[in-house]
Amino acid sequence: MPSILALDTSTPACSVALTINGAVLEDFRIAPRQHNDLILPMLEQILAQAGISLSQLDAISFGRGPGSFTGLRISAGVVQGLAYGQDLPVIPVSTLKALAYEGYQETHDSLWLPALDARMGEVYIGGYQFSESESGLAISEFLSERVCKPDAIGGFGEDFAAIGSGWLHREIIESGLKRSASLLLDDRAPRAACIARLAEIDFNNGNVVDAYHAIPTYLRDEVTWEKQPPRIGKR
């Protein structure tokens, strides 16, 4: 099984995780505006806890967005630096997909609409369906990721479960969908442990990129990402 280091700084939560020998180690903290100070010490600590070094990893993964612009820049910058330094492949994972997977792990409901508060009166939202088979877990996207007003998502004809901070706009979203969520987990944030597990699936399927292409997904067109030279070791 691959050893994958994962991190997420896309929301007020800051988390790192490591898959090793089939298990997952995770450090998850609610730490608004502290990500830049916490993320490298958290990464170093979890590697030390597992007794491995960066050079022994198979890949690095991160929550590529959507989410906080500043948070996404932090995680992408850290991952680029680490991956360049060790010539490791990178696995960008959708934060919305990670949220949906968190809900699936907890409840085994198959249809999820994860949403994050996008500010400016908008939400980031997507839709994912999970199914198990002999070949493993299959995940399909039935609602493409988007940023929109809570009442502009459109109609929806199936029962679904909901997760994430965007569902603080529950009444407005459900009025637009013309359907109510069968289950709501609006206090959840993307977790590095879920990102790591999804990254395992991508790694085994060969879905990796090099460090140069480890870039955030903002969803808002006016936001751009400028690739920077690696700054590993500089704070």
Side-chain angles (χ1 to χ4, degrees), residues 20 33 48 51 66 85 96-97 103 117 124 132 153 164 178 188:
I20 183 167
R33 296 176 296 280
L96 293 176
K97 189 176 183 179
D117 187 0
Y124 301 117
E132 297 275 2
I153 301 163
K178 297 179 172 39
R188 304 299 198 274

Side-chain angles (χ1 to χ4, degrees), residues 131-196:
S131 60
E132 297 275 2
S133 67
E134 291 183 0
S135 58
L137 179 64
I139 309 171
S140 60
E141 183 184 67
F142 63 86
L143 180 69
S144 60
E145 294 181 3
R146 63 197 65 190
V147 57
C148 61
K149 297 292 184 183
D151 60 354
I153 301 163
F156 192 71
E158 299 182 62
D159 290 336
F160 66 92
I163 188 170
S165 62
W167 284 93
L168 296 174
H169 303 282
R170 179 178 186 173
E171 291 184 4
I172 303 174
I173 295 176
E174 289 181 341
S175 70
L177 293 173
K178 297 179 172 39
R179 198 171 188 91
S180 298
S182 59
L183 172 68
L184 176 62
L185 304 173
D186 61 5
D187 60 344
R188 304 299 198 274
R191 302 187 70 110
C194 294
I195 290 168

Side-chain angles (χ1 to χ4, degrees), residues 85-141:
Q86 298 295 327
D87 193 25
L88 290 169
V90 178
I91 306 168
V93 173
S94 162
T95 49
L96 293 176
K97 189 176 183 179
L99 265 177
Y101 182 65
E102 182 179 344
Y104 174 73
Q105 281 192 313
E106 185 171 330
T107 70
H108 288 282
D109 283 52
S110 61
L111 217 62
W112 285 89
L113 287 179
L116 289 169
D117 187 0
R119 303 187 182 275
M120 296 190 287
E122 295 182 320
V123 295
Y124 301 117
I125 193 164
Y128 296 89
Q129 184 167 18
F130 298 84
S131 60
E132 297 275 2
S133 67
E134 291 183 0
S135 58
L137 179 64
I139 309 171
S140 60
E141 183 184 67

Side-chain angles (χ1 to χ4, degrees), residues 54-107:
L54 282 171
S55 63
Q56 294 174 281
L57 295 174
D58 294 298
I60 303 177
S61 181
F62 73 109
R64 50 87 166 155
S68 157
F69 300 156
T70 301
L72 296 180
R73 288 173 184 269
I74 290 171
S75 58
V78 169
V79 165
Q80 282 188 342
L82 296 175
Y84 271 124
Q86 298 295 327
D87 193 25
L88 290 169
V90 178
I91 306 168
V93 173
S94 162
T95 49
L96 293 176
K97 189 176 183 179
L99 265 177
Y101 182 65
E102 182 179 344
Y104 174 73
Q105 281 192 313
E106 185 171 330
T107 70

